[in-house]
Structures are given as C-alpha cells and as structure tokens.
Amino acid sequence: MSGKPKLHYFNGRGRMESIRWLLAAAGVEVCLYRMSPCLVPFSLDGSLLFQQVPMVEIDGMKMVQSRAISNYIAAKYNLYGKDLKERALIDMYVEAVIDLNELLMTHTFQPADKKEQHFATIVDKATNRYFPVYEKVLKDHGQDFLVGNRLSRADVQLLETLLMAEECKPDILVKFPLLQSFKARISNIPTIKKFLQPGSQRKPPLQEKDVPKLMKIFH
Amino acid sequence: MAGKPKLYYFDGRGKMESIRWLLAAAGVEFEEEFLETREQYEKLLQGGSLLFQQVPMVEIDGMKMVQTRAILSYIAAKYNLYGKDLMERALIDMYVGGTDDLMGFILIFPFLSAEDKEKQHAVIVQKATSRYFPAYEKVLKDHGQDFLVGNSFSWADVHLLEAILMVEEKKSDVLLGFPQLQAFKARISSIPTIKKFLEPGSQRKPVPDDKYVETVRRVLHMYHDMKAN
C-alpha cells in the first residue's frame, strides 16, 4: 500500500474528481480512504494546510489545493507538454475547463427557483464560450490531441467536462462534430476506457438527496 | 516581436493585479491598455484576441495569453520564480492556492451590496487570521528561512506579500500575533524591484473605488450584485 497516492475526500466528485481522472489517465493506482463527512476536520487534524480537502498524500507530501495537486501529477506523469509554451497552452485550456466545471458542479446546489436560469447559463456558456474554442483548436491543427500532438492533461480534463456537460444536457455536443470524435477517441485510450467502466474510482454525479448533508459540511 | 508584455484590463486591480506584481517583482517592464468603454471590449472580442471572451489578457512572447493562473504560471517559470524542481513547484502552487483563495474574498468585495460588504469584511478578517496567516506563519517559523520555499525568492513570496497588504487595507493591525509575517513583510518589501513597485508612480493600482466598479459594470454589462462567499 505504501507508494500509492492516498486520496482524502468524501465519497463524491467535487474537487477531487479531476485528480482521480488524471491519476487514472496516467495509469496510477491509488490507495483509497473513504472518509465519513463529519470526521473531515478532526481525523486529519494538522494534516490539512488550510483546513480543507482535497488532500492527497503523494511522494512524502500531504498536498492540498486541487490545482497544485493536479499540476504535480500532470508534470510527474508527463501530461504537461514538453516546454513552457505547450504548458502555457495547456494551462489556458485547463483553466477555462475548470471555470466550466464550476458551473456544472454548482448546478445541483442551486435553490429550486434559480435552477432553470442556472441551467440556461450552463448551456449558453458551454455552447457559446467554451466548446467553440476547443472545436476550433482541433479543427485548426487537425491533430488528435489538443496540444503538441500528444495526450496531455488538457485532453483528460476536457473529456471529463464534456461528459459532465452531457449529463446535464445529453445533446449538448450536437453542433460540435470534432468534440464528438475527440470524446470517442480519448475515451478509447486504455487507461481512460478502464476508468469509464463500472467499478473504477470514478464517482457518480451528486444526487439531490445528498445536497443538504454536503451543505452542512462545506458551508 | 520581442517587446514588452502588454496587459489588457481595466485601470484597476481585479484579476490583473497579481500579474502586475509578479512582472514587477521579476523586474520586467510592461505596457498597459486600459478598457474604458464597451466599444473597446467589443473590438477586442471581434478581433479574436480574447480566447474565452474574457480579460485579463496579456500579449507576451508572441502569445495572447488569457486565464490569470496560466499567465502567472508562465511568468513565474520564465523568470525563475517557480522553484528549482517539481517538489518546490508543488509547494509554491499550494501556497499560491491559499493566497489566491484569500484574495478571492477581497476581489469580489467592491461588487457586493452594502449589507454584504459588512459581512464580507468580517469573513476576510476571520479567514485571514484563523486559516491562512497561521499556515504561512508556521511555514516560516518551521524552516526559519527568509523565503517561503527553497530558501530563495519565488512567486509564493510575491503573492503572499500582495495578500498581506490587501488584508491590511481592510484591517491595519491584522498582523498582530504574526511576528514571522511582520518580518516577512518588511523583508520582501525591501527587495529592490518590489520596493520600487510599492512607491508612488509605479503601475500598482489603488484600492478599487466606485469609478472602477462603474467601469467594470459598463464594459462587461455586469449590472447585478455579486454574491458573497
């Protein structure tokens, strides 16, 4: 068990999901620690730099801050481009995906009277701001991957978001043929294919019934 | 076209301020184009300069970079402010993540309703003094070095100084009880490039005022109040 990264989080997607995706894509096995939500602050007393999860024990560090963790994993497993310029592109694409993820993630937490408008915002931003950019990137260079003609975290994180967006609105990719083929292509990569199968570490979407419990812990 | 980086943003702090700090700390001269009208913004949009239709945007090394974090990471790496290896980078990323979260509470402050401003003020002070400052105080105490990471000046130090000064603007004695941070603040402030940035006449922007808020709202057509965290 020692040597495998250990993930500390509750049993759901949240801010840990992108990290699970990256580790899975890199073919890294993890040691799981499912925590009971009410024990979060106490059982890890002193281990949480800013009193928050996600926390990942990896290579002798107790890492916090999901971006820091993702950056480390991406660099360690060669999913971060070959030089500074590729890294810059990857970072730009990933940061925007994170922005869209925030919208998607917070949808379940919206009060009933705001849900419809929030849904409309998601669809608008996804189809008018974000997806057209990635569609164009793929169209312009005609390559299989977003950056540098090889798999990077940008591809992994974009796929994650595309699938989450489809959970929100199944036909959301209808106007984006290249994103559709990108989705099929990246999903077929062996490590990712495995992660998309039942029994993997991938977490299901948040259920409405779990929201009150989570609101209590995190707000 | 090697030239000075050019920053596209409002004439105010917002998300661009950390980028100004980092460039200044690295001793890099930069130009700025200030967005004052909706027309300017639409022109940038139509010209395809804003990848995700947003500012900050920085023209640097032939790229039109967007996404604040991406821009900061690039500058840090280019100017050797990102540690010497993966482990140091990880620490810097963690520390910057914390100060980013802390400054995030202050970033939205000018856009809150009067009632929410009062609550948010308390939140800022509480988070600073019970979550973030203690963490950095301990880091400095534990290793006893001048800088947060690797015994050398990095992005983490610049970002923390920026955060400290911003919180002090909200509560001037907020560093009471944090002797390491007080010494850190004095020390980092006297680094020549930073000292220069802290002097009047630099490109550092003042505390956001009503005019700044009006400009942002007008240019972005952002007329709703933001919600406090």
Side-chain angles (χ1 to χ4, degrees):
Chain A
M1 190 72 127
S2 81
K4 290 189 201 176
K6 192 169 173 179
L7 277 51
H8 296 263
Y9 204 60
F10 72 97
N11 191 23
R13 287 183 178 176
R15 295 191 187 283
M16 188 62 100
E17 193 71 353
S18 296
I19 294 165
R20 296 183 185 106
W21 268 89
L22 265 185
L23 286 166
V28 179
E29 268 183 63
V30 299
C31 184
L32 286 177
Y33 185 96
R34 183 197 302 189
M35 69 190 12
S36 167
C38 50
L39 290 178
V40 167
F42 302 108
S43 67
L44 296 180
D45 189 35
S47 300
L48 302 180
L49 183 62
F50 302 116
Q51 304 150 13
Q52 296 165 315
V53 285
M55 191 270 271
V56 174
E57 289 180 77
I58 184 168
D59 298 337
M61 298 182 285
K62 288 182 162 63
M63 286 199 73
V64 297
Q65 290 288 327
S66 46
R67 267 192 188 86
I69 298 164
S70 295
N71 286 359
Y72 182 77
I73 293 165
K76 180 176 176 178
Y77 295 102
N78 292 313
L79 292 169
Y80 220 158
K82 69 178 198 297
D83 58 28
L84 216 52
K85 289 268 176 123
E86 286 196 353
R87 198 167 186 142
L89 277 176
I90 290 168
D91 277 342
M92 282 195 275
Y93 298 157
V94 163
E95 285 296 311
V97 155
I98 290 174
D99 285 348
L100 181 52
N101 272 358
E102 283 289 311
L103 276 178
L104 290 164
M105 267 203 295
T106 53
H107 186 60
T108 327
F109 290 97
Q110 297 300 312
D113 62 340
K114 294 255 160 75
K115 265 214 158 68
E116 207 180 307
Q117 194 192 6
H118 196 255
F119 181 82
T121 303
I122 289 174
V123 175
D124 173 49
K125 289 268 150 78
T127 56
N128 290 321
R129 174 172 288 188
Y130 296 108
F131 292 172
V133 173
Y134 301 108
E135 183 83 3
K136 183 177 191 295
V137 167
L138 292 168
K139 187 170 186 197
D140 285 353
H141 62 42
Q143 292 165 4
D144 283 355
F145 306 102
L146 284 170
V147 179
N149 211 9
R150 65 180 199 147
L151 182 72
S152 77
R153 70 183 287 199
D155 304 299
V156 179
Q157 300 199 236
L158 178 58
L159 175 62
E160 177 191 359
T161 301
L162 293 177
L163 295 180
M164 279 209 294
E166 279 186 328
E167 281 167 357
C168 212
K169 187 177 192 286
D171 65 348
I172 203 170
L173 288 185
V174 70
K175 292 190 188 148
F176 303 100
L178 293 179
L179 288 181
Q180 290 176 41
S181 50
F182 172 87
K183 175 190 142 195
R185 198 163 58 239
I186 306 300
S187 298
N188 247 338
I189 290 169
T191 48
I192 297 191
K193 192 171 182 180
K194 193 170 167 204
F195 186 65
L196 290 171
Q197 277 156 4
S200 80
Q201 308 313 335
R202 189 181 181 212
K203 301 289 170 256
L206 197 60
Q207 303 298 313
E208 291 265 355
K209 62 178 174 60
D210 293 324
V211 171
K213 184 170 66 174
L214 276 175
M215 292 290 274
K216 250 178 31 182
I217 314 162
F218 288 107
H219 290 78
Chain B
M1 168 89 137
K4 297 181 191 174
K6 189 166 177 185
L7 280 48
Y8 292 78
Y9 203 65
F10 316 102
D11 186 3
R13 288 184 181 176
K15 287 189 189 257
M16 189 61 99
E17 193 70 353
S18 296
I19 294 169
R20 297 183 183 107
W21 268 89
L22 194 55
L23 286 168
V28 178
E29 280 182 47
F30 56 91
E31 287 168 7
E32 301 192 76
E33 184 163 309
F34 297 124
L35 290 183
E36 245 120 52
T37 66
R38 176 76 187 176
E39 290 69 38
Q40 267 176 293
Y41 173 59
E42 285 180 353
K43 195 164 165 219
L44 277 177
L45 282 176
Q46 277 144 30
S49 297
L50 305 179
L51 189 61
F52 300 105
Q53 304 157 8
Q54 296 165 316
V55 285
M57 189 272 275
V58 175
E59 284 176 332
I60 185 168
D61 298 337
M63 298 181 285
K64 286 182 162 63
M65 285 198 74
V66 294
Q67 295 292 336
T68 313
R69 214 46 183 270
I71 298 166
L72 286 167
S73 294
Y74 181 78
I75 294 166
K78 182 176 175 178
Y79 295 102
N80 292 313
L81 292 168
Y82 218 159
K84 69 176 195 298
D85 58 28
L86 217 52
M87 294 279 203
E88 286 194 355
R89 201 164 185 145
L91 281 175
I92 290 168
D93 278 341
M94 280 197 278
Y95 298 157
V96 163
T99 39
D100 202 38
D101 286 346
L102 177 55
M103 287 199 275
F105 293 109
I106 303 176
L107 193 74
I108 62 167
F109 188 86
F111 298 92
L112 299 174
S113 67
E115 188 195 330
D116 278 349
K117 270 185 174 138
E118 213 180 299
K119 291 186 206 157
Q120 189 75 346
H121 189 276
V123 166
I124 290 165
V125 172
Q126 190 257 338
K127 296 268 183 201
T129 54
S130 66
R131 174 173 288 185
Y132 295 105
F133 288 173
Y136 299 106
E137 181 80 6
K138 185 177 191 297
V139 167
L140 292 167
K141 186 167 187 210
D142 285 353
H143 62 44
Q145 292 165 4
D146 282 356
F147 307 104
L148 283 170
V149 179
N151 211 10
S152 87
F153 184 53
S154 79
W155 173 21
D157 303 301
V158 182
H159 215 241
L160 177 57
L161 177 62
E162 182 188 359
I164 286 171
L165 295 180
M166 279 179 79
V167 179
E168 277 188 329
E169 281 163 352
K170 293 274 175 254
K171 188 175 192 287
S172 56
D173 65 349
V174 75
L175 283 190
L176 269 179
F178 299 104
Q180 299 284 337
L181 290 181
Q182 290 176 37
F184 174 87
K185 176 190 151 193
R187 204 162 54 235
I188 306 301
S189 298
S190 55
I191 290 172
T193 48
I194 301 212
K195 190 169 182 190
K196 194 169 165 205
F197 188 64
L198 290 172
E199 277 160 9
S202 82
Q203 284 161 295
R204 188 183 181 211
K205 301 295 174 267
V207 177
D209 57 12
D210 288 339
K211 179 164 179 274
Y212 169 73
V213 172
E214 265 167 52
T215 304
V216 175
R217 289 197 188 287
R218 181 175 68 242
V219 171
L220 296 184
H221 284 181
M222 194 179 87
Y223 294 110
H224 54 274
D225 274 339
M226 296 191 78
K227 281 269 164 270
N229 297 99

